[in-house]
Amino acid sequence: MAIETRKGKLYLYSRRKVGNRWHKEYVGPVSPAEADHIRNYVTSTEKMLQDARLDRQNAIAEASAVLSAGEEFDRLADDVFRAVMFLTGHHRHHRGEWRKQQGIEPMCTLQGIMDTYGLEEPRPGLIKPVSNNPAHQATLAKAAAGDRSVLPAVRELLNDPGWLSTFGSVSNMAACTLLSRAAGDDVLMQEAVARKLEEHIQELIATDPTPVPFPVRMAATRVSHCWLAVHILETLGERHMAGSAAALGVERHLAIAERRLAVALKSLATLRRLNRPVFKQVNVANGKMVVNNQQSDKR
């Protein structure tokens, strides 16, 4: 709506959009008091719409940050899971269930993968590390740019186990980012959520044989991260009015996080089945049933 002045009199016009063009329609004359009321109404409506747009943008940005926090590690864990399945002779049927391929010998078993790679932390991903120390930050900036002249300085930094653990583990990077989203600067909350994450990981691998295979531990960590992301987004969604644009924006990201959690749980269950002992049962004719409790080499 708009107020126009003509020959000292006030007139009200409405506007509506037809296609890509705006059309103005005459409504009628208005008094100065009515004109002020209409102007205040239009101003308040525009402000309300602008606030709603900003609220939606902020909610979507915050939800996107939560998803991106664990995205790198989630993708890496999924790649490890797929590699294990292919190496153990499985294939995925039309994006559905993983099935054992008939007539194809697996290249290795889950135990063989564990024996080969041990329980090492995952190799560093393509993540840009930062430091509060200016000298260290200068070295990191040159290293990120591909300057190999700083390789001796980088190796010296990585001799410190703290640096190697912090910047060499995508899992730790993802966990730290998720913790900052969940707890902010609250030290108590950061410590509490970090302990709860580790507790969930230990509960998930409690029934697995010791030592726990690296792919299984990685899958359990992935489940724990996805669980935290889901609950962060659920908490963010509660801050906004149900049905509002901001709430719907958060709900879309929550749906993605829930799908990630479901995939992570399924991956963990599949890897755990691969590591389950297989028993042979032999029936002897005209005699007692003999059960061979030795673990089979075929998985």
Side-chain angles (χ1 to χ4, degrees):
M1 291 185 290
I3 303 293
E4 294 187 5
T5 304
R6 294 184 179 181
K7 297 182 179 180
K9 294 184 179 181
L10 301 174
Y11 299 93
L12 175 63
Y13 288 84
S14 65
R15 299 176 65 199
R16 62 187 181 90
K17 192 172 185 179
V18 179
N20 293 326
R21 300 185 61 183
W22 285 94
H23 291 264
K24 184 171 63 173
E25 295 181 354
Y26 175 72
V27 177
V30 293
S31 65
E34 291 174 333
D36 290 340
H37 177 74
I38 292 172
R39 290 192 185 101
N40 292 335
Y41 173 77
V42 171
T43 302
S44 61
T45 301
E46 290 177 350
K47 186 178 183 304
M48 182 179 64
L49 293 175
Q50 183 178 8
D51 291 343
R53 283 194 296 269
L54 290 175
D55 190 32
R56 177 178 178 274
Q57 291 171 1
N58 292 335
I60 291 177
E62 196 168 2
S64 297
V66 172
L67 282 181
S68 62
E71 184 175 5
E72 187 72 24
F73 179 73
D74 185 80
R75 182 165 52 247
L76 177 61
D78 191 57
D79 289 342
V80 171
F81 166 71
R82 290 171 183 271
V84 169
M85 297 305 293
F86 280 118
L87 289 173
T88 53
H90 293 76
H91 77 288
R92 195 176 184 186
H93 183 70
H94 296 303
R95 298 186 179 182
E97 298 292 332
W98 287 90
R99 300 178 182 177
K100 188 69 179 292
Q101 291 180 296
Q102 299 297 326
I104 297 180
E105 287 294 325
M107 288 180 276
C108 60
T109 63
L110 188 59
Q111 183 64 39
I113 295 173
M114 186 188 72
D115 293 339
T116 301
Y117 296 100
L119 299 175
E120 298 290 335
E121 288 290 319
R123 291 181 298 172
L126 300 178
I127 298 175
K128 184 178 180 180
V130 295
S131 172
N132 293 328
N133 187 312
H136 292 170
Q137 183 57 43
T139 300
L140 295 176
K142 291 181 179 179
D147 187 351
R148 298 189 65 83
S149 65
V150 298
L151 191 56
V154 169
R155 288 172 176 166
E156 185 66 26
L157 288 177
L158 293 180
N159 286 334
D160 184 346
W163 277 80
L164 184 61
S165 176
T166 301
F167 297 119
S169 172
V170 181
S171 171
N172 287 344
M173 296 286 287
C176 290
T177 307
L178 284 168
L179 287 174
S180 70
R181 291 290 169 184
D185 295 329
D186 191 321
V187 177
L188 184 147
M189 287 297 297
Q190 289 178 359
E191 184 64 20
V193 177
R195 291 190 183 187
K196 201 64 180 178
L197 273 180
E198 184 59 31
E199 180 182 314
H200 285 161
I201 295 173
Q202 295 304 320
E203 289 175 351
L204 288 168
I205 63 176
T207 58
D208 289 286
T210 304
V212 180
F214 169 70
V216 174
R217 175 175 285 276
M218 193 174 191
T221 304
R222 179 188 183 189
V223 170
S224 184
H225 289 182
C226 292
W227 166 85
L228 179 56
V230 166
H231 286 285
I232 293 173
L233 290 171
E234 285 179 341
T235 304
L236 289 178
E238 292 298 324
R239 295 181 181 178
H240 306 284
M241 184 181 301
S244 65
L248 293 176
V250 175
E251 286 177 5
R252 282 193 288 269
H253 288 76
L254 175 59
I256 296 174
E258 288 175 337
R259 286 197 295 270
R260 284 186 185 175
L261 177 58
V263 172
L265 286 167
K266 193 170 185 179
S267 299
L268 177 60
T270 303
L271 289 174
R272 184 170 284 132
R273 284 198 300 271
L274 289 180
N275 204 39
R276 185 181 302 162
V278 179
F279 299 97
K280 293 181 179 179
Q281 179 173 307
V282 180
N283 291 326
V284 180
N286 300 323
K288 295 182 179 180
M289 179 184 297
V290 178
V291 178
N292 181 6
N293 286 327
Q294 293 184 353
Q295 185 172 340
S296 173
D297 292 334
K298 297 183 74 176
R299 293 188 182 256

